[in-house]
Amino acid sequence: MNFLTPSHSYAKEFEQDVISIIKKYPGLGLRELSRELSISAQSLKYYTDKLLEDGQIFNKKDGKFSRYFTKGFKIDEYEQNILSCLRKPPLLNIIVIFLQERKNGIEIIKNQEILDKLEVQSAGTVTYYLNQLVQNDVLEKTKNGFCLKNPQLVDSLVKKYSPTHSIIDNFIHLWQQYFL
Amino acid sequence: MFPIVFSVVIIFLVAILSLILCLIGFLSYRKTKDIRLLSVTAAFGVFFFKNLFTATSLYFNIVPHGTLELYESLLDLVAFIFLIFPVFKKNNSMDINNQIK
């Protein structure tokens, strides 16, 4: 008698999908994973809890949230700090600004220049994000502004581990901003 | 005065673009299960239908111009209701922020 019900085999298949996404984008939180997998965060938590129990994935606390990695994923604490910053859209946006300016030969950027380049932020909020990036050793503060501490490493982590957003994601983001 | 065929072609292109956005909207709804996105999808669907109807009507002279304007206005109104509705509708079903602990 076959004890594998369709739902059981579907669950196993979905667990493999979860592991693939975590392997592809290590350090994603539950919310980002749920978006990548097109499933509610609540439903996804069932699978991540099961995979954590089975030891196929592990998590690291990042403030209130957990970030997921596959078993055996080796990353030092410094790279982990950078990765956790890449998983936060406001911090990622600032890092991308630094990387883009670096291509133009500009290494040091001031608060005001970042405020001008970001879409909607107050000066206080930008300072808060910049301080977070300094605390995580992504940026360092200089006399004339801020610069990336290890630009090559940050660049490689961004290229390797940042999910690219599809047209669908852009549509969702655009319209959800419009809703109250 | 340009021949009517130019208007028909442009209106038809608008219909195609509306259809593309309608399709993207539908795929977005499937991904998020956010009913508000379904409403936006419906709005683009109405725009597609309206422009297709207008292009066809102009080309084949199906409906008198005055009546066509009325139908267009009504369909615009329906589309905008679909666009306005999600602005005020709360998303209770798939609010991820409420689900993550």
Side-chain angles (χ1 to χ4, degrees), chain B residues 18-43:
Chain B
S18 304
L19 183 64
I20 291 169
L21 284 168
C22 182
L23 190 64
I24 293 171
F26 179 70
L27 293 171
S28 305
Y29 163 70
R30 261 186 54 179
K31 188 166 184 174
T32 61
K33 299 290 184 275
D34 187 341
I35 203 85
R36 297 171 300 175
L37 285 170
L38 191 61
S39 190
V40 171
T41 302

Side-chain angles (χ1 to χ4, degrees), chain B residues 1-15:
Chain B
M1 285 286 281
F2 286 105
I4 201 113
V5 72
F6 284 120
S7 303
V8 170
V9 167
I10 290 168
I11 294 167
F12 184 72
L13 282 172
V14 173

Side-chain angles (χ1 to χ4, degrees), chain A residues 31 35 38 169 171 176, chain B residues 28 31 34 87 97 99-100:
Chain A
R31 185 178 173 181
R35 272 199 212 117
S38 305
D169 293 318
F171 186 94
Q176 286 185 335
Chain B
S28 305
K31 188 166 184 174
D34 187 341
V87 175
N97 285 324
Q99 291 172 7
I100 294 174

